[in-house]
């Protein structure tokens, strides 16, 4: 029965994905001159404005409705926002959730993507090659500088979108190490159904549809006074907090 339903839904899924991808690149190309003009540290705040315009246009045109719960839990920066990563929609929605200036820390592969790479090579966001110890150290130093400037740092601690969403991959230590070193709070965020709206994992296989995307912003976890001995406990507490709002998580 599941296979039959999949084949019935497949044409609609493919059409919707095609429409979504076209929206993504059309809006990106239309706004690209504004992005390029603002790709320097002097104009980054204006660059953030245009990212929010892009995010709003994507949501409005794609029929995807973000319902964010707990916005009152967002403190004034600096802080580190960590989230589960189940879809590329997670990135789009960040520009609707966070009203302050924030910086993404993303995987180094994004430096190879046409159009997208300018947002990392310009210094507006931080790329990291976790397989290279020297580059990882450089990225962590840049992350500390971002927080010292009073900004918000956004990290997906899984490092990538897992193949078994909504279940999460084990979190990497970087976000929690930086939080402890700088004493800034961790703000956990849970996206519960982004993977249903736009799943990663194959154009003709992964599901996609318009609909509602709930998001839960949890209370900040304070890190002042913590040491490296608290890192694992902090990481696991954050993992369990995010997991608590994912329905049908499984074992």
């Amino acid at each position: 029965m599941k296979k039959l339903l999949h084949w019935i839904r497949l044409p609609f899924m493919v059409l919707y994905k095609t429409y979504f991808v076209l929206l993504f690149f059309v809006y990106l190309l239309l706004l690209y001159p504004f992005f390029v003009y603002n790709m320097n540290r002097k104009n980054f705040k204006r660059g953030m404005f245009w990212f929010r315009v892009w995010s709003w246009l994507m949501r409005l045109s794609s029929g995807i409705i973000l319902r964010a719960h707990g916005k009152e839990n967002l403190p004034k920066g600096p802080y580190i926002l960590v989230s589960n990563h189940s879809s590329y929609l997670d990135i789009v929605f960040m520009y609707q959730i966070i009203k302050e200036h924030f910086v993404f820390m993303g995987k180094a592969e994004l430096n190879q993507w046409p159009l997208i790479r300018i947002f990392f090579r310009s210094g507006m966001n931080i790329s990291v090659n976790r397989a290279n110890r020297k580059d990882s150290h450089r990225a962590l130093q840049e992350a500390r500088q971002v927080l010292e400037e009073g900004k918000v740092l956004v990290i997906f601690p899984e490092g990538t979108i897992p193949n078994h969403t909504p279940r999460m991959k084990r979190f990497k230590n970087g976000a929690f190490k930086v939080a402890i070193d700088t004493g800034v709070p961790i703000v956990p965020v849970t996206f519960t159904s982004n993977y249903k709206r736009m799943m990663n994992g194959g154009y003709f296989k992964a599901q996609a549809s318009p609909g509602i995307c709930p998001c839960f912003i949890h209370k900040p976890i304070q890190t002042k006074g913590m040491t490296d001995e608290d890192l694992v406990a902090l990481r696991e507490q954050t993992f369990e907090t995010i997991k608590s709002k994912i329905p049908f998580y499984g074992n």
Side-chain angles (χ1 to χ4, degrees), residues 3 7 46 56 79 82 95 97 141 150 156 186 191 210 227 232-233 242 250:
K3 287 186 177 181
W7 285 108
R46 284 192 297 188
W56 180 80
Y79 62 87
V82 298
Y95 293 99
I97 293 169
Q141 290 298 107
F156 298 112
I186 292 276
F191 291 110
T227 67
V232 173
I242 294 173

Side-chain angles (χ1 to χ4, degrees), residues 83 157-158 168-173 176 235 238-239 242:
S83 163
E158 295 167 271
M168 296 183 289
K169 291 172 65 72
R170 183 183 296 274
F171 285 179
K172 299 181 184 300
N173 290 335
F176 311 100
R235 185 190 69 201
T238 306
F239 184 97
I242 294 173

Side-chain angles (χ1 to χ4, degrees), residues 106-232:
K107 56 186 179 181
E109 289 90 331
L110 294 171
N111 283 320
Q112 309 303 319
W113 289 21
L115 299 179
I116 303 296
R117 58 191 174 195
I118 188 176
F119 306 128
F120 286 88
R121 292 183 178 179
S122 67
M124 188 172 189
N125 296 293
I126 302 170
S127 65
V128 55
N129 180 359
R130 293 186 175 89
N132 185 307
R133 182 174 295 182
K134 184 177 180 180
D135 192 67
S136 295
H137 178 73
R138 185 269 313 161
L140 291 176
Q141 290 298 107
E142 289 186 22
R144 292 185 182 96
Q145 182 179 347
V146 164
L147 296 168
E148 288 172 2
E149 293 172 357
K151 298 173 184 174
V152 178
L153 182 68
V154 176
I155 300 178
F156 298 112
E158 295 167 271
T160 188
I161 300 174
N163 295 325
H164 44 66
T165 54
R167 295 187 67 196
M168 296 183 289
K169 291 172 65 72
R170 183 183 296 274
F171 285 179
K172 299 181 184 300
N173 290 335
F176 311 100
K177 171 65 174 171
V178 173
I180 289 172
D181 287 348
T182 57
V184 303
I186 292 276
V187 178
V189 170
T190 307
F191 291 110
T192 63
S193 61
N194 287 3
Y195 70 99
K196 293 182 180 179
R197 305 284 76 84
M198 190 61 59
M199 180 182 280
N200 189 44
Y203 205 77
F204 296 98
K205 182 180 178 182
Q207 59 184 314
S209 68
I212 297 172
C213 286
C215 163
F216 293 90
I217 303 165
H218 303 273
K219 292 182 179 180
I221 301 172
Q222 302 299 327
T223 66
K224 285 186 178 179
M226 287 189 178
T227 67
D228 286 346
E229 293 182 358
D230 301 302
L231 191 150
V232 173

Side-chain angles (χ1 to χ4, degrees), residues 28-52:
L28 189 59
L29 287 170
L30 285 174
L31 295 173
Y32 204 68
F34 299 98
F35 292 142
V36 172
Y37 179 75
N38 292 292
M39 286 299 100
N40 59 72
R41 290 193 175 274
K42 182 180 178 181
N43 296 329
F44 277 173
K45 287 187 177 181
R46 284 192 297 188
M48 291 294 295
F49 168 79
W50 289 109
F51 271 113
R52 291 191 173 97

Side-chain angles (χ1 to χ4, degrees), residues 15-27 58 198 203:
L15 283 172
Y16 181 74
K17 283 184 182 180
T18 303
Y19 171 69
F20 187 91
V21 170
L22 285 173
L23 284 179
F24 181 92
F25 284 106
V26 166
Y27 287 141
M58 286 297 300
M198 190 61 59
Y203 205 77

